[in-house]
Amino acid sequence: MADNNLDPTVIAFKHFINKHPALIKDIRKHGRSWQDHYEKWVLLGENDPYWDQYKVGNNEQQAGTKEKEKSSELFSHLIKMAENIDVDKLQTQVHQLNNTITTVQEVITQFQQSKSKSTSANKPTNWLQD
């Protein structure tokens, strides 16, 4: 059926729908009728704020803006944290941690050595060996 045979308001509604792809998705997703939206469009008009939620890229644009704000907020927070780091204190804490790890390694080594000595002491000697 050609557009020439359609009512001019239906043709205008088709153009309106093409400008609002989010409206098409919403209608298909929720199984709503085109007739309901057509009637709402006729009553409210094309410029009513109700249609703003369905404008091209409106939702994506808002989501993108929020993401950019969050990432810039996170980045500025990280910069503030980096500025507040006392490098001397950090170096001291790393050195202390290194000493603690070394001490733990030494204790483990001593434990393993004492364990191996105790197992070799428990072995029976072979008295009747030639």
Side-chain angles (χ1 to χ4, degrees):
M1 190 166 169
D3 283 348
N4 297 342
N5 297 336
L6 294 175
D7 186 80
T9 58
V10 173
I11 294 170
F13 181 68
K14 285 177 78 173
H15 290 294
F16 173 76
I17 289 291
N18 290 331
K19 293 178 191 175
H20 298 80
L23 178 60
I24 297 170
K25 287 180 184 177
D26 186 59
I27 290 171
R28 290 179 180 163
K29 181 178 179 181
H30 296 101
R32 297 181 179 143
S33 81
W34 290 100
Q35 182 66 36
D36 292 340
H37 284 83
Y38 174 74
E39 290 172 2
K40 193 174 283 191
W41 176 77
V42 169
L43 292 174
L44 297 176
E46 192 169 316
N47 298 323
D48 191 87
Y50 174 79
W51 304 113
D52 289 346
Q53 61 186 327
Y54 301 114
K55 285 191 178 174
V56 174
N58 192 29
N59 294 335
E60 294 87 5
Q61 200 173 38
Q62 288 176 352
T65 303
K66 288 179 184 178
E67 285 295 321
K68 286 179 185 177
E69 289 174 359
K70 286 181 182 178
S71 63
S72 66
E73 192 175 297
L74 176 65
F75 187 69
S76 64
H77 184 66
L78 288 173
I79 289 176
K80 286 179 184 177
M81 286 177 47
E83 289 173 351
N84 293 334
I85 292 176
D86 185 0
V87 178
D88 293 331
K89 283 184 179 180
L90 182 63
Q91 181 65 31
T92 303
Q93 290 177 350
V94 168
H95 183 66
Q96 288 174 350
L97 180 62
N98 188 29
N99 289 340
T100 303
I101 291 172
T102 303
T103 304
V104 169
Q105 286 175 335
E106 288 173 359
V107 168
I108 291 172
T109 303
Q110 288 176 358
F111 178 72
Q112 287 175 338
Q113 287 174 350
S114 67
K115 186 177 179 183
S116 66
K117 286 180 185 178
S118 67
T119 56
S120 65
N122 291 337
K123 288 183 180 179
T125 55
N126 202 355
W127 294 97
L128 301 173
Q129 234 179 14
D130 289 327

